[in-house]
Amino acid sequence: MRLRTGVLMTTRTPDPDLKLILGSGSPRRLELLAQIGVTPHAVRPPDIDEDPHKGELPRDYVNRIAAEKAAAVAISDDEVVLCADTTVALGRRIMGKPADAAEAAQFLQLLSGRRHKVITSVAVKRGDKIWQKDVQTSVAVKRLSQAEIDWYLATKDWQGKAGGYAIQGPASMFILWLNGSFHAVMGLPLPESAGLLTAAGYPVTKGLA
C-alpha cells in the first residue's frame, strides 16, 4: 500500500460493535459490499464540489475527491465511513460523469479503438484518521461504429457513469480486455476496500460468519 501525506497505515484492533457507514449513493458499491457479506449500517452520500482543479492529473484528482468525501461525512465515535471515487483517464484527461447524451457520445468517440485507465480511490475514515488506497486498471475498447454509440446512448446506461459507460452493463460488449481489477472499474475494488476497513478496525469477516 503506497504511503501518501495524511494517509495512515496503522491498523486498529477489530471492534465488533463498530458500525459501517457507506459514504456513497452508488447502488453498485452497495452491491459490491454485499458480495463480501458487508451491509452498511447507513448510507450517507456527501455533497462536495467534484470539479477538477486546473491542471490536476487524474490520479491526484480521484485521490483528492475520495479523501474529501470521507472528510465531509459526519460520523460518531462508534462509526467508520467508506467513500470512493472513480474516474476514467485518457492520458492526462479526466473523463467524469457526462452532463448529457452529447457529452457521453463525445466520451465514447474518444475511447473508441483505444486503451484508457480507470482509477478508483477508496478512503476509509474513523475519527480523525483516514486510510486510503487507489487502484488503476487498463481497459481496451473496440472500435465503435456510430450505430453502436447511438444504440448505447439510447439505453441511458451512460447516465451517472464515469467516462460515459458501465463495464457491467450493455457496454460490456465494447470491452476487448482489461488489466487490473474488474470490481474497481465498477466502482469499488474489494480486496483493497476490505483491507482498509480491517486497518480501521472494522471486522469485515463478521458478515461471513
Side-chain angles (χ1 to χ4, degrees):
M1 189 175 293
R2 187 170 63 92
L3 179 63
R4 293 189 301 275
T5 302
V7 181
L8 299 186
M9 314 312 293
T10 54
T11 298
R12 294 283 194 90
T13 301
D15 182 350
D17 297 321
L18 198 60
K19 299 173 183 176
L20 173 62
I21 307 302
L22 177 60
S24 171
S26 167
R28 293 175 300 283
R29 291 185 177 125
L30 200 60
E31 292 167 3
L32 286 168
L33 285 174
Q35 288 186 22
I36 57 173
V38 173
T39 302
H41 175 73
V43 176
R44 298 175 195 160
D47 183 15
I48 67 168
D49 180 2
E50 297 187 32
D51 290 338
H53 292 165
K54 184 177 181 180
E56 191 170 30
L57 296 176
R59 190 178 188 184
D60 294 335
Y61 164 75
V62 77
N63 279 313
R64 176 177 65 83
I65 294 300
E68 289 184 1
K69 285 180 177 180
V73 178
I75 56 174
S76 60
D77 292 341
D78 65 344
E79 294 176 336
V80 59
V81 63
L82 180 148
C83 294
D85 192 68
T86 300
T87 197
V88 169
L90 189 60
R92 297 169 63 93
R93 177 169 183 166
I94 296 170
M95 303 174 74
K97 300 171 184 175
D100 50 33
E103 187 170 37
Q106 180 187 36
F107 285 176
L108 291 171
Q109 289 162 356
L110 288 170
L111 296 175
S112 174
R114 303 175 70 178
R115 302 177 186 179
H116 64 274
K117 287 186 177 180
V118 178
I119 310 171
T120 293
S121 179
V122 182
V124 170
K125 182 183 73 171
R126 181 179 179 186
D128 60 353
K129 299 176 176 61
I130 291 180
W131 293 257
Q132 188 169 8
K133 173 74 174 178
D134 65 63
V135 175
Q136 300 188 64
T137 301
S138 296
V139 182
V141 177
K142 78 182 197 72
R143 188 169 298 280
L144 304 175
S145 67
Q146 189 58 51
E148 288 172 321
I149 292 175
D150 291 342
W151 168 80
Y152 184 67
L153 293 175
T155 69
K156 299 189 184 301
D157 189 60
W158 54 269
Q159 295 179 338
K161 310 297 195 310
Y165 78 92
I167 196 169
Q168 73 278 14
S172 60
M173 66 184 286
F174 301 154
I175 307 303
L176 295 175
W177 57 261
L178 66 80
N179 181 17
S181 168
F182 181 83
H183 291 142
V185 178
M186 285 182 65
L188 193 68
L190 293 178
E192 292 78 7
S193 297
L196 293 174
L197 287 170
T198 298
Y202 181 79
V204 175
T205 55
K206 71 177 182 179
L208 301 177

